[in-house]
Amino acid sequence: MTDYEQEQEMEIEALEAILMDEFKEIHSGETGLSTSNRCFQITVSQDDDADGLVTNPAQLALFFSHTEKYPDEPPLLNVKSLQGLSSEDLRVLKEKLQQEASENLGMAMIYTLVTSAKEWLTDRFSEDNDGTADAEEAAKDDIVVPHGEPVTVDTFLAWRDRFEAELALERAKLMPESVLAAPKEKKLTGRQWFESGRAKGASAVAEEPDEEDEDLSDIDFDEDDFEDDEDDMLEHYLAEKSDASTHSSRLAS
């Protein structure tokens, strides 16, 4: 027995001890390998997931036969689907295993190739599972989940009341709403409004308006203008009061 044959025999014994029922000798006619040497089949299954289950099971048969100078030259290899693999899957895997065999020359490599086939099988169908999971997650993201309190007639009316109350507080003025809404070009300054005499009548019942009087809707009470003219208004008021006092003194004399 040559050194190559001894090394090959030792590898076969090791594979039988490690793989047990997954390893068996098979007739070359069932392997698709063109050889008269002994042929073997190794059943390769994907690894279980974290829950100990296989959601998308797949299984293959890896056939090999030692060549004359193995391991200094690659073994003969072939793969067959036992469950769930397409012809394209088998072609890709066979090319991968042949490439790895070329990279591992000089050492017993069959168990390494079995491990590589198992990893490829697991990754191949895990990708399918991940794709399905991603699609499911994307579908969930498209679902709009309502947040907050649902709108009903009662909740809407309550909100409207609060909104109107807040609006009323913001717009509360001495003058009517129509005054606040007057166009900009018709607005009076605080001083003009004060001198017009309407400041005194704002809180009393107005008499019949003259034709020359502008409608109240044409008057605007601008807080900024009123604040700017506050000193002028006070000065004007004091001047009028002084004139009235002088006039009364003259009449008394």
Side-chain angles (χ1 to χ4, degrees):
M1 183 179 290
T2 66
D3 292 342
Y4 287 117
E5 291 175 339
Q6 289 180 351
E7 190 167 353
Q8 294 168 11
E9 188 65 27
M10 290 175 60
E11 182 180 36
I12 291 172
E13 292 176 359
L15 290 172
E16 288 177 332
I18 295 171
L19 299 175
M20 295 185 289
D21 293 341
E22 296 176 349
F23 180 86
K24 66 179 180 179
E25 187 170 354
I26 191 172
H27 190 275
S28 61
E30 301 179 54
T31 64
L33 299 176
S34 179
T35 182
S36 58
N37 294 337
R38 297 172 67 188
C39 295
F40 302 91
Q41 173 183 321
I42 300 174
T43 302
V44 180
S45 304
Q46 65 192 99
D47 289 330
D48 297 340
D49 58 22
D51 297 328
L53 301 174
V54 177
T55 55
N56 194 3
Q59 192 176 67
L60 62 89
L62 170 61
F63 304 114
F64 77 92
S65 178
H66 290 135
T67 54
E68 182 179 354
K69 294 183 178 181
Y70 173 89
D72 289 340
E73 62 183 15
L76 297 178
L77 298 171
N78 199 12
V79 290
K80 175 184 177 181
S81 175
L82 299 179
Q83 182 178 0
L85 281 85
S86 66
S87 58
E88 178 63 16
D89 290 332
L90 296 174
R91 183 189 67 79
V92 171
L93 177 59
K94 183 177 180 179
E95 290 181 357
K96 173 181 172 62
L97 295 178
Q98 288 174 336
Q99 177 64 31
E100 291 188 9
S102 299
E103 295 172 355
N104 286 276
L105 293 177
M107 64 180 69
M109 67 182 75
I110 299 301
Y111 188 75
T112 299
L113 298 180
V114 171
T115 301
S116 179
K118 180 182 288 288
E119 290 175 352
W120 178 90
L121 194 63
T122 301
D123 292 342
R124 166 69 178 84
F125 287 92
S126 293
E127 288 177 1
D128 288 348
N129 292 337
D130 291 343
T132 302
D134 291 342
E136 292 176 354
E137 289 297 327
K140 291 179 181 179
D141 291 339
D142 291 337
I143 300 175
V144 177
V145 179
H147 296 281
E149 181 181 356
V151 178
T152 64
V153 175
D154 292 337
T155 57
F156 172 76
L157 292 177
W159 169 85
R160 187 185 65 179
D161 291 342
R162 289 195 303 270
F163 174 77
E164 291 178 349
E166 292 173 0
L167 185 63
L169 288 175
E170 291 292 331
R171 305 185 64 178
K173 302 293 181 181
L174 293 176
M175 292 182 295
E177 181 75 11
S178 58
V179 175
L180 297 174
K184 182 67 178 176
E185 60 271 12
K186 293 185 180 182
K187 291 181 178 179
L188 299 180
T189 65
R191 180 174 181 174
Q192 290 171 334
W193 182 77
F194 185 84
E195 291 178 348
S196 70
R198 294 194 176 96
K200 298 178 181 180
S203 61
V205 179
E207 296 179 358
E208 184 73 16
D210 297 333
E211 294 179 357
E212 296 179 356
D213 288 344
E214 296 179 359
D215 186 81
L216 285 178
S217 62
D218 295 335
I219 302 173
D220 181 73
F221 187 83
D222 193 318
E223 283 188 353
D224 293 336
D225 291 336
F226 188 83
E227 290 174 359
D228 292 341
D229 294 337
E230 184 176 5
D231 293 338
D232 293 337
M233 291 165 56
L234 179 59
E235 182 180 351
H236 178 78
Y237 173 75
L238 293 175
E240 283 189 344
K241 186 172 183 181
S242 177
D243 291 342
S245 300
T246 303
H247 180 68
S248 298
S249 299
R250 289 178 181 175
L251 291 179
S253 60

